[in-house]
Amino acid sequence: DVRYGLRSLRKSPGFTAVALLTLALGIGANTAIFSVLRAVVLRPLPYPDPARLVIIREQDTHGNSFSVTWPDFVDWRGQSRSFAAMAAYSPARLLLTGVERPALLNAAHVSASYFPLLGVKAELGRTFVSAEDSAGAGFVTVLSDALWRSAFGADPGIVGRTVVLSGSAYAVIGVVEPYLSRGGPVDAYLPVGLRAGDPSFNNRGAHGSMHVLARLVPGTSFGGARASLDTVMARLEKQFPASNAGHRSYMVPLTDSMTGELRRVFYVLLAAVSLVLLIACVNVANLLL
């Protein structure tokens, strides 16, 4: 049967070429889209037990969500019992100079609990310690693996060197594993304590760009954790009515936060290319008839 089929295809090269091209286009489009869908949406996040990771923001009575203030984060971390750990992070843009190719970096101010919460360990050196979450923290930085390789040639002696970020000198204390990213690759991490001396940073009513990443206690449901946090928010509303009136928590799984919009787009694209494959099969069937 196989030999007969091959002889038949060889006798009709025009038909064979059109059929193969039609099927190749349909199958190739499906393979490409599904490969991207699997890499971006279906593959689990590269962190231990990612289903228990959530992003937390604040929300008003109209359903508008906004960033968290540092004082609220400190109260959440101290009063909530539904979370095994909480970490704060705030994005920033910094200019790297003093190297062969200066570059504008995606950076983040993070609390010391950020890396342990995600289960990320330093490839070289160390990550931040709790003392660096308070005012007076030293000018230190943790570099991403990608920046370490691209800007510093994977220099094994990078720990202890000084880098210049937006005109200030920072001592490199570590390099973190290459997969670490959230909302796009981060090139450099700074301790959140560098912002602790800013009056607006400690103002409970000044919502800037800080977000909170948390890990649920094993066995705690998503709804139960949010209800627990809202109890803390209600307590803060009574204690600080001027800044916290009407505020509640807004919580979303980390996976949904990273792929929420992309998930819908890729599923629509997958449906579209599946129709293309169906049309291709119908066309080849018509050619056979």
Side-chain angles (χ1 to χ4, degrees):
D1 288 341
V2 172
R3 286 196 300 269
Y4 174 76
L6 292 175
R7 286 199 302 270
S8 299
L9 293 176
R10 189 171 61 246
K11 288 179 179 179
S12 307
F15 164 79
T16 301
V18 172
L20 288 177
L21 179 61
T22 302
L23 290 175
L25 288 174
I27 295 172
N30 275 268
T31 302
I33 293 298
F34 183 78
S35 297
V36 177
L37 177 70
R38 179 177 180 272
V40 176
V41 177
L42 301 180
R43 181 177 296 172
L45 296 175
Y47 309 122
D49 202 359
R52 293 197 289 121
L53 293 174
V54 295
I55 296 291
I56 310 175
R57 291 166 58 85
E58 294 190 36
Q59 189 177 52
D60 61 19
T61 54
H62 301 291
N64 301 314
S65 66
F66 42 87
S67 63
V68 183
T69 63
W70 177 254
D72 282 349
F73 164 73
V74 172
D75 287 331
W76 289 2
R77 184 174 58 183
Q79 299 180 33
S80 178
R81 298 293 176 264
S82 297
F83 303 94
M86 276 189 180
Y89 68 90
S90 179
R93 298 280 279 174
L94 298 174
L95 180 63
L96 172 66
T97 56
V99 293
E100 183 178 350
R101 294 183 178 179
L104 188 61
L105 306 181
N106 289 320
H109 290 88
V110 300
S111 60
S113 54
Y114 184 79
F115 297 105
L117 186 151
L118 290 175
V120 173
K121 298 180 180 179
E123 287 185 276
L124 297 174
R126 65 171 178 87
T127 56
F128 303 128
V129 296
S130 57
E132 290 164 332
D133 281 350
S134 56
F139 278 63
V140 294
T141 183
V142 173
L143 304 181
S144 72
D145 179 271
L147 181 65
W148 173 54
R149 294 181 184 278
S150 63
F152 301 98
D155 178 10
I158 188 66
V159 175
R161 282 183 54 182
T162 298
V163 297
V164 179
L165 302 175
S166 294
S168 298
Y170 291 80
V172 177
I173 63 171
V175 176
V176 291
E177 299 174 18
Y179 62 68
L180 184 62
S181 64
R182 194 267 163 193
V186 176
D187 301 306
Y189 299 86
L190 310 177
V192 76
L194 292 176
R195 299 187 58 199
D198 184 354
S200 64
F201 184 74
N202 295 286
N203 183 348
R204 197 177 292 269
H207 295 271
S209 59
M210 180 172 290
H211 306 281
V212 173
L213 178 66
R215 181 178 290 277
L216 299 179
V217 169
T220 302
S221 67
F222 183 85
R226 184 171 182 181
S228 172
L229 191 56
D230 278 341
T231 300
V232 177
M233 293 292 289
R235 191 180 304 137
L236 293 177
E237 181 179 15
K238 292 180 180 179
Q239 190 174 359
F240 307 101
S243 59
N244 288 58
H247 289 193
R248 291 296 180 267
S249 65
Y250 173 82
M251 191 183 305
V252 61
L254 179 61
T255 302
D256 291 351
S257 173
M258 297 182 71
T259 64
E261 294 298 326
L262 292 176
R263 186 186 301 268
R264 287 189 288 270
V265 171
F266 281 122
Y267 280 139
V268 170
L269 287 175
L270 185 61
V273 295
S274 298
L275 290 176
V276 171
L277 179 59
L278 178 61
I279 293 171
C281 292
V282 171
N283 286 338
V284 172
N286 284 333
L287 289 173
L288 289 168
L289 290 174

